[in-house]
Amino acid sequence: MERAQGSGRVRVAAYVLCQDDAGRVLLCHIAPSVGVGDIWTLPGGGLDFGEAPADGALRELSEETGLRGEIVDLLDVSDRLFTPSHSKEPLHAIRIVYRARVVGGELQDELDGSTDMARWCHPDEALRLRLGELARRMIIRLRDG
């Protein structure tokens, strides 16, 4: 693969794919303040400097949903190069997805964050929502085994 030339920004983010006993997946709705439209995604987000990816994924799970989790395994590492609509600077998004198990907490919506709602959805219901590319790919992979 050819390396992109020029300047840009790199963002490393970690996400979790959680399922409950009924087979539903946990999704978060991106807040309107983020400016990407009506999109649902997996719990997760950008890592803090020096933060281990698995720790960041679990921190984001807690912040966005009120739930505590534990990592089960690594599901996916992918990247995407694009220019966000609100910027002229290209972004290289590196995404790490873990399968996680919920071990405590109470489902709640994030207040004043990058997401504004959290809910459990059956995979077929989730696929009818406006999902981000990563969430859609992970849910299809889960559904199709």
Side-chain angles (χ1 to χ4, degrees), residues 30-36 112-114:
I30 299 176
S33 61
V34 174
V36 295
D112 301 320
S114 60

Side-chain angles (χ1 to χ4, degrees), residues 4-11 80-93:
Q5 299 296 311
S7 65
R9 197 167 74 89
V10 175
R11 179 178 184 262
R80 181 173 171 227
L81 186 61
F82 67 103
T83 301
S85 60
H86 62 279
S87 172
K88 293 181 180 175
E89 186 177 44
L91 176 66
H92 186 190

Side-chain angles (χ1 to χ4, degrees), residues 86-102:
H86 62 279
S87 172
K88 293 181 180 175
E89 186 177 44
L91 176 66
H92 186 190
I94 299 169
R95 296 101 45 103
I96 303 162
V97 182
Y98 296 95
R99 182 183 323 276
R101 176 179 22 259
V102 172

Side-chain angles (χ1 to χ4, degrees), residues 44-140:
L47 299 179
D48 294 333
F49 181 80
E51 184 176 38
D55 293 341
L58 294 176
R59 173 184 52 78
E60 289 283 348
L61 172 66
S62 178
E63 289 175 3
E64 294 180 349
T65 70
L67 300 172
R68 293 186 319 277
E70 65 182 16
I71 299 298
V72 175
D73 60 4
L74 176 66
L75 283 179
D76 190 72
V77 178
S78 64
D79 72 318
R80 181 173 171 227
L81 186 61
F82 67 103
T83 301
S85 60
H86 62 279
S87 172
K88 293 181 180 175
E89 186 177 44
L91 176 66
H92 186 190
I94 299 169
R95 296 101 45 103
I96 303 162
V97 182
Y98 296 95
R99 182 183 323 276
R101 176 179 22 259
V102 172
V103 296
E106 230 175 274
L107 185 64
Q108 61 187 32
D109 296 334
E110 182 178 27
L111 302 176
D112 301 320
S114 60
T115 64
D116 60 0
M117 267 187 285
R119 76 181 219 205
W120 292 100
C121 297
H122 187 276
D124 289 336
E125 175 191 4
L127 290 170
R128 289 191 294 271
L129 297 172
R130 188 163 176 223
L131 294 171
E133 171 268 330
L134 179 66
R136 180 168 300 281
R137 187 165 49 82
M138 291 293 98
I139 292 169
I140 288 171

